[in-house]
Amino acid sequence: MLIYLTMCGSNADSSKFELLYKNYKASMFKIANAILKNVDLAEDAVQQSFMKIIKNLHKIDDVFSNKTRALIVIIVKNTSIDIYRRRKKNYAVSLEELAIEPIDTNMAPPEFVISEESAELMKSNISKLPQKYSDVIILRYFYDYSNAEIAQMLNISNENVRYRLHKAKKSGKPEQIW
């Protein structure tokens, strides 16, 4: 952990990272191990995920929020799947299979003012999307990450991010989702 703290820079960032590390390391390992089914690979996935989190540490306001937890889950899940794919296997795990709590519907995109009914409809439509599309939609519109930041977090190209966003919007009924 000392290596991570030296990468953080300021004392405030170091304190924030330390809280993240202590509060989420065990659950991150559990998610990674559920996907990889290998303790050593799961540890590697957690370490790589923390490196990605450090790069985006300035965007985390509240360490204990559902928004932060969801972001961490997405990062560790995608990092684990990338490691698994690098080992030349095809496997995908949904959040439902991992028994992870769904993302809070109170985290609406800031550019929309939506009713609770609209939020439920949006949540329902997003949950019907394939995981690779729903992750990109959530990161882009709920967390307001840029396409380049999403590409970096998910280890995909900017073009792939744009394609996934386009396909996600097109696969649902845009007038109901957006």
Side-chain angles (χ1 to χ4, degrees):
M1 184 159 122
L2 185 58
I3 294 172
Y4 294 129
L5 293 176
T6 59
M7 295 175 67
C8 289
S10 72
N11 286 340
D13 284 347
S14 295
S15 298
K16 186 188 307 183
F17 181 79
E18 193 171 349
L19 281 173
L20 286 168
Y21 189 86
K22 288 178 180 177
N23 288 299
Y24 295 107
K25 183 179 183 224
S27 57
M28 289 171 71
F29 177 79
K30 185 177 179 181
I31 293 166
N33 199 35
I35 294 169
L36 296 166
K37 309 222 183 302
N38 179 304
V39 173
D40 294 329
L41 291 175
E43 288 174 355
D44 288 346
V46 171
Q47 299 307 318
Q48 289 178 26
S49 297
F50 275 121
M51 296 299 286
K52 292 177 183 179
I53 290 167
I54 286 175
K55 290 178 184 174
N56 292 292
L57 196 58
H58 63 281
K59 294 188 176 194
I60 297 174
D61 295 324
D62 180 10
V63 172
F64 302 105
S65 72
N66 286 336
K67 182 179 176 181
T68 300
R69 184 180 191 288
L71 176 65
I72 288 172
V73 167
I74 289 170
I75 290 173
V76 74
K77 180 186 66 72
N78 284 306
T79 302
S80 300
I81 290 171
D82 286 347
I83 289 172
Y84 198 90
R85 285 183 181 149
R86 275 188 236 130
R87 296 179 56 84
K88 305 293 182 203
K89 297 186 181 192
N90 294 321
Y91 186 75
V93 175
S94 68
L95 291 177
E96 293 77 32
E97 290 175 46
L98 296 173
I100 296 171
E101 297 172 23
I103 294 173
D104 187 2
T105 56
N106 293 328
M107 296 181 290
E111 57 266 22
F112 298 113
V113 177
I114 56 176
S115 67
E116 190 171 320
E117 184 178 298
S118 296
E120 285 302 315
L121 179 60
M122 191 181 321
K123 181 180 172 186
S124 171
N125 286 335
I126 290 172
S127 71
K128 292 176 187 174
L129 293 172
Q131 191 71 40
K132 65 182 182 179
Y133 298 143
S134 65
D135 286 350
V136 174
I137 288 287
I138 290 166
L139 289 170
R140 181 71 178 109
Y141 296 107
F142 285 75
Y143 297 120
D144 202 30
Y145 282 100
S146 70
N147 289 358
E149 292 169 325
I150 295 169
Q152 181 182 8
M153 277 190 259
L154 301 180
N155 289 329
I156 59 176
S157 67
N158 285 338
E159 293 78 24
N160 199 328
V161 171
R162 285 193 301 276
Y163 175 77
R164 288 182 185 186
L165 285 169
H166 174 74
K167 288 292 281 188
K169 290 177 186 178
K170 201 169 186 166
S171 68
K173 295 181 179 160
E175 64 273 23
Q176 290 182 356
I177 296 177
W178 315 108

